[in-house]
Amino acid sequence: MRSSLNGRRAGRVAVVLALPIALSFGSMPVLADPSPSTGTVVPDRQPSTEQNGVALLRIIVPDQDGVDRLNSLGVDLAEYKKPVDSGFEVHAVLSPQEAQGLRDLGFDVRDAISDQTDFAENTAERRAAIASAAEAAAETDTLTSLRAEWFTSLDNQRFLSVEVKSSATDAQTVLTATWDSGKGTAPGSGGTATMSRFTDAGQYMYHRFNSPLTITEAPSTVTITSNRGGSVTVPVTQWLGAKRKAPSKHYVADFVDHYMDPTELTSRITSLAKEFPKLSQIVDLPNKTNGYRRAAQAQFGTVAASTFYVSSKAYGHEGGNDISVALVKPAAASSALSVSVSGKNVVVNLATDASGAVSSTAVQVVNALNANAAASALLTAATYRGNAGTGVVAAAPATGLTDNLKAPSSVSRDPFQVKALRIGKQRDGSKTGVFLYCQEHAREWVTSLTCVETAERLLRNYAKDDQTKKLVDNLDIFIMPAVNPDGAHYSMYDYNMQRRNMTNHCAANMSDPAARNSWGVDLNRNFSVGSIFDGYSGASSSCSSDTFSGPAKLSEPEARNEVWLTQQYPNIKFAMNTHSYGGYFMWPPGAYKTAGRELLPRVDFGTENFFWTASDHILSAVQSWRGTGIWPGRTGPVPDVLYSAAGNSADEHWFNRGIIGWDFEVGADIYNPKTNRFEAVGFQPPFAEGHEEAMEFASGQIGILEVARAFAEDSQRPESDLKVTGRTDTSTTFTFTTNEPANVYYTLDGSRPTLNSAKLTAAGMRENAQQITLDKTAEVHWFAVDIAGNVEKNYKPDGNGKNYRKETVEVRKLR
């Protein structure tokens, strides 16, 4: 939170510290060191209603003695101390005169963390919140049920998930859920629980359980009551468990027995293409990665001011690892600093003073190395993280530079050729395409196994399993097991928590060897839609952040490869981006601007319903392997269930090319009945668990292919109805229903409806269809269009026909 406040305050710090001092202290110095004779000086602070510029300020002190001296001066220190390059950062509450007094004593007093403007803003926010709560308390709130479901997971343990929105959005609104234990049982016989208030980006979203509640019997209804007086009772339906056609008795699965690096993964899909040439082929992506390679480096010194590092100009495997640097103390006094080079051995002869002691500072050595033609042909030198480098360096024996890479020689250090496996009986672009891609994030080892397992199942079951044959015959499937091969190799062999690729975009002040695990671009923040460059949240502009978006949109070859594939094969209509962990199943939009929580445009109501309907099928396929149930509360558009992810690939593919895309987060939390808690599995669980995750989510990927095939073969026209939902003496309210996910276009003025007419929307986030209210009788004209483009009654929206649906909605006095 502190960093977000700093930007807001940066422009006014100088003003705060320059405010006039209202109190006079005569000639007495402010905050002079106390003594028995002078005592403590009274600070220049006004009563609380006139704060006169008092602020919480940063102070940098060189050591603990500096902290102790501030304490002895009676400075109002916060309980905060953080090590920094030049000592410690502490925080103190100071008036302008106190701050100046400390500066006069030599203390490094810096900018404000908070000041009186913050106090005013907090006070205003508090007043507004109190007023809002008072207004809400005066009225009974309205509760809108979003979802109420029970489901099973693993071992057939039952769980309850409920989501409800209150019209009272303040934190004092408390909702309580009470449920029965099945049809015909008493209300409350199943249990009762207080719900949690879910907020995001400072906005109230809805109430829910923090995690699904364990139940013994499947409830039929749940009643949610509010302390504001609202109440709603709704049916509880089963989530997942849709019946699936059993595969043939010859169906085979389970083709992975260890975590695989990208070299192995690429070899596997290449072998599959050779084994099944009539059903598959390799697609070489046009943009090679930067490669699993680094410059060789060495660092000298232990204290920041006297520390510097060197980096080879050649990659380590191309000769950088053969370079050495020695820092030599000459025997003679008053020696000059010099650099000599023999082959790839660099020797720095340090300067000495008249007494023979080394006098060369870190910055002097850096400048000497960079100025020497022979040395600068081999390497560059820099001080440690932007330090001035005024500390004297120490002599050091010849030290070999190293790229610090530990992968075996079987892993190439050259730019990596990313490959995709294209599967389909007819691979000419005439079939609906599906793009399955894994391991955008390097440390998510399970995901690539999921893609490989799916490829193996499709090809090895083609000859014997009728359902698999239909998928391969009627779809054009592209599988990319490792989007991020460089980062994945690094995660496997060097730093297991590497998330990003390996490309270092940091300047010299963050390119020292100790920072090597902080380099790279988060590929799922590097795309061009809803990016940080457009003001969206959920990515970082810091080159050392794990969510670094890169220096520009699509700066990384790995991201450009995804875009190229979807552009090169425009028949791709579906996509699945597989990540880990947490057991989420999500879709666009995936990003918002924090101010006002301004989302990218939500998908239309028909498409949203298609996502939900398909989810039931896909997640039931996941559940079919070992019973894992993905939570309803972890299913939905990304910002509704997780967070904002600026510049993600699903938004890229949906908004730029209309590709219906999902995001899997494999590795659902596992319920522990001994602790009555869900336990996270992490990025790299023991392989026994990782194997099961790969198997179940490969089943989910097969489920996505089944959804795509149904879409491709859908020629059934949707049907819709107009349903009146409410009447008063002066108005009538209605909505539309459809027999499948579809969009409804309508007019209220008797005109012919077209695709430019009003379109039925959702009533709100995660809600059902909007309610349309008329204040006078009208003839409503409408038609429905499903996601595959089938139009109700074969109506031609751009033609002249009148075979649209019509119905008169009357507004009349009630008897």
Side-chain angles (χ1 to χ4, degrees), residues 443-517:
R443 63 193 177 195
E444 298 168 7
W445 294 1
V446 175
T447 64
S448 57
L449 302 185
T450 304
C451 272
V452 165
E453 174 69 18
T454 298
E456 292 271 9
R457 290 187 193 182
L458 289 171
L459 293 172
R460 300 198 183 280
N461 287 299
Y462 180 82
K464 295 292 186 180
D465 181 68
D466 182 61
Q467 295 304 308
T468 301
K469 187 175 189 301
K470 289 178 180 177
L471 295 177
V472 175
D473 284 350
N474 293 284
L475 294 174
D476 196 358
I477 305 160
F478 300 82
I479 300 179
M480 193 186 298
V483 172
N484 181 9
D486 300 345
H489 279 128
Y490 195 76
S491 175
M492 278 267 176
Y493 298 108
D494 302 280
Y495 173 57
N496 70 308
M497 285 298 151
Q498 179 76 7
R499 170 184 170 102
R500 296 165 279 167
N501 69 7
M502 285 182 64
T503 305
N504 178 19
H505 291 285
C506 289
N509 64 355
M510 199 59 192
S511 288
D512 57 275
R516 64 183 179 274
N517 293 337

Side-chain angles (χ1 to χ4, degrees), residues 291-296 315-317 321 402-409 411-414 486 489-491 493-495 502 516-517 519:
Y292 174 74
R293 57 184 183 175
R294 287 264 168 89
Y315 288 107
H317 71 289
N321 289 337
T402 175
D403 60 13
N404 287 297
L405 298 179
K406 303 178 180 64
S409 58
V411 175
S412 172
R413 268 59 173 174
D414 294 328
D486 300 345
H489 279 128
Y490 195 76
S491 175
Y493 298 108
D494 302 280
Y495 173 57
M502 285 182 64
R516 64 183 179 274
N517 293 337
W519 301 332

Side-chain angles (χ1 to χ4, degrees), residues 37 145 156 234 315 363 579 807:
S37 60
S145 172
N156 287 319
V234 295
Y315 288 107
V363 70
H579 286 263
E807 185 171 328

